[in-house]
Amino acid sequence: MHLGTIFDEPYLLVRGEDKVLHGFFNICRHHATILTDSSSGTTSQFECPYHGWTYNLEGRLTKATRLRGIKNFVAKDFGLKPIAVRTWGPMVFMCLDDSTHSNSGTNATETNGWMPQLEVMLNSMKNMSPMSDMKHVRSTSYSINCNWKVFIDNYLDGGYHIPYAHKELSSSLDGKTYALKQYDGFSVQSSSGKGEGRIGSEVLYAHVFPNLLINRYGPWLDFNIVKPTGPETCDVDFEWFLDQSVISSMNTENLDRKINADIAQGETVQDEDIWLCERVQKGLRSRSYTVGRYAPRVEYLMHNFHLKLYEELINYSEH
């Protein structure tokens, strides 16, 4: 079982007696009480601490006492509200959209088509294990003084800033092989590495619209979720995964040393990006700046991101 919150919506994930992973809003259907606070572990049912309404692991209401005289009440209609879920590699994706309330392992995210297409790309990288062999080793969160779109723009400039802002990273990449490609719903930046350190022989940086970043390099896989917290602030959550074969090949002391050293190098890159993004945010406030220009060969992924944002904003305003 796992609990969490997505933009102030409490959720719970649990594998039921049917062995299927289920997602639910962590809200009792009686008086909207938060149902459970147990953040992890196992359970056989969920009992509301307020009035004792009880639900099984498939979300069905199994007990609701003192309802004598109630009218127009059907217990099966008062199960926990489901959230569509799907596993993808080492991650679980959830969709809160009412139209995707299914717990059979599919949702609207799957129908977009990016998951299987991107998974093939990630799993076919040279000398790298498939996503299913990656194990979570650390979580990190950054609070940044820039609009979330500024952070995405920085990611999508086609490596334009890497030689100038990331000297160490740049030295590990073969810039001549840096390539960009836009797909339906996501974009990919890829490059050969020089086989050194944590970068290895190949890297892939993927942006899934609007705010998910996926980075694969050497024995590492990390997911970055960019979350707006205000007009000029955002949080970026990092989830770090390491190849299980590397973990199995090291004793605890050496493994901890490697994880700390590699993540420290990654955090250096993030610190450099944060410095840039916060400078951009300050510059955007200036009356001197109105519009910029795109460098056509390297910033067209950013341009496509802006076009998609515009399309989404127009559709939202019309509805």
Side-chain angles (χ1 to χ4, degrees), residues 88-91 118 122-123 125 128-138 198 204 206 213-224 238-243 263:
W88 189 65
M91 298 288 283
L118 184 52
L122 290 165
N123 287 344
M125 295 177 70
M128 294 190 187
S129 298
M131 290 174 61
S132 57
D133 289 348
M134 308 301 289
K135 182 177 180 180
H136 185 262
V137 295
R138 189 167 300 177
R198 68 187 182 95
L204 184 150
L213 312 175
I214 303 171
N215 308 300
R216 185 74 170 97
Y217 48 94
W220 288 96
L221 170 71
D222 66 74
F223 290 79
N224 318 151
F238 272 65
E239 302 296 340
W240 304 85
F241 297 82
L242 183 59
D243 191 327
I263 290 181

Side-chain angles (χ1 to χ4, degrees), residues 205-259:
Y205 307 127
H207 167 243
V208 180
F209 184 87
N211 64 332
L212 175 64
L213 312 175
I214 303 171
N215 308 300
R216 185 74 170 97
Y217 48 94
W220 288 96
L221 170 71
D222 66 74
F223 290 79
N224 318 151
I225 304 169
V226 187
K227 303 185 298 186
T229 56
E232 296 189 356
T233 59
C234 65
D235 287 343
V236 183
D237 294 338
F238 272 65
E239 302 296 340
W240 304 85
F241 297 82
L242 183 59
D243 191 327
Q244 181 64 57
S245 66
V246 174
I247 295 173
S248 301
S249 68
M250 294 184 173
N251 61 38
T252 301
E253 182 179 351
N254 288 338
L255 178 60
D256 287 344
R257 186 180 296 115
K258 176 176 178 56
I259 290 173

Side-chain angles (χ1 to χ4, degrees), residues 16 23 34 40 50 68-69 89 107 131 139 172 176 204 210 271 273 279 312:
I34 298 296
S40 62
Y50 200 172
R68 182 178 298 175
N107 62 23
M131 290 174 61
S139 299
S172 299
K176 295 180 181 179
L204 184 150
D271 289 342
D273 280 331
R279 290 171 71 88
E312 293 287 322

Side-chain angles (χ1 to χ4, degrees), residues 22-298:
H22 297 273
F24 301 105
F25 289 91
N26 187 19
I27 302 292
C28 180
R29 295 293 305 281
H30 181 215
H31 275 295
T33 314
I34 298 296
L35 184 61
T36 180
D37 296 320
S38 299
S39 60
S40 62
T42 60
T43 187
S44 60
Q45 63 181 17
F46 300 104
E47 182 180 87
C48 179
Y50 200 172
H51 300 104
W53 282 37
T54 304
Y55 307 84
N56 69 10
L57 300 185
E58 286 75 45
R60 182 170 60 86
L61 179 64
T62 58
K63 186 178 76 172
T65 61
R66 307 183 73 169
L67 296 183
R68 182 178 298 175
I70 194 171
K71 297 180 180 179
N72 303 318
F73 177 80
V74 180
K76 69 177 182 179
D77 295 334
F78 278 82
L80 296 177
K81 284 288 188 178
I83 297 173
V85 297
R86 182 186 172 180
T87 57
W88 189 65
M91 298 288 283
V92 176
F93 284 78
M94 294 177 284
C95 182
L96 305 185
D97 190 337
D98 290 342
S99 66
T100 60
H101 280 171
S102 165
N103 283 296
S104 60
T106 60
N107 62 23
T109 305
E110 181 181 24
T111 63
N112 287 338
W114 66 265
M115 279 186 167
Q117 192 175 8
L118 184 52
E119 185 171 8
V120 168
M121 295 180 189
L122 290 165
N123 287 344
S124 61
M125 295 177 70
K126 295 182 296 185
N127 304 317
M128 294 190 187
S129 298
M131 290 174 61
S132 57
D133 289 348
M134 308 301 289
K135 182 177 180 180
H136 185 262
V137 295
R138 189 167 300 177
S139 299
T140 309
S141 185
Y142 301 88
S143 293
I144 307 174
N145 292 316
C146 74
N147 184 279
W148 72 277
K149 298 184 292 297
V150 170
F151 191 87
I152 299 292
D153 283 353
N154 177 71
Y155 189 87
L156 292 177
D157 78 352
Y160 198 174
H161 73 288
I162 290 178
Y164 307 100
H166 304 308
K167 303 292 187 184
E168 184 177 349
L169 174 61
S170 181
S171 67
S172 299
L173 299 175
D174 181 357
K176 295 180 181 179
T177 66
Y178 206 98
L180 322 173
K181 190 160 185 182
Q182 181 69 49
Y183 297 88
D184 184 17
F186 72 100
S187 64
V188 167
Q189 303 172 69
S190 60
S191 175
S192 295
K194 297 181 179 179
E196 302 168 355
R198 68 187 182 95
I199 296 300
S201 60
E202 188 177 5
V203 300
L204 184 150
Y205 307 127
H207 167 243
V208 180
F209 184 87
N211 64 332
L212 175 64
L213 312 175
I214 303 171
N215 308 300
R216 185 74 170 97
Y217 48 94
W220 288 96
L221 170 71
D222 66 74
F223 290 79
N224 318 151
I225 304 169
V226 187
K227 303 185 298 186
T229 56
E232 296 189 356
T233 59
C234 65
D235 287 343
V236 183
D237 294 338
F238 272 65
E239 302 296 340
W240 304 85
F241 297 82
L242 183 59
D243 191 327
Q244 181 64 57
S245 66
V246 174
I247 295 173
S248 301
S249 68
M250 294 184 173
N251 61 38
T252 301
E253 182 179 351
N254 288 338
L255 178 60
D256 287 344
R257 186 180 296 115
K258 176 176 178 56
I259 290 173
N260 290 334
D262 283 5
I263 290 181
Q265 291 181 29
E267 288 179 332
T268 296
V269 175
Q270 303 316 312
D271 289 342
E272 292 165 347
D273 280 331
I274 290 170
W275 183 79
L276 290 171
C277 291
E278 291 186 343
R279 290 171 71 88
V280 169
Q281 189 64 56
K282 290 179 180 178
L284 289 172
R285 300 192 197 110
S286 172
R287 69 179 67 188
S288 69
Y289 187 85
T290 53
V291 295
R293 299 299 303 269
Y294 300 100
R297 294 186 179 182
V298 288

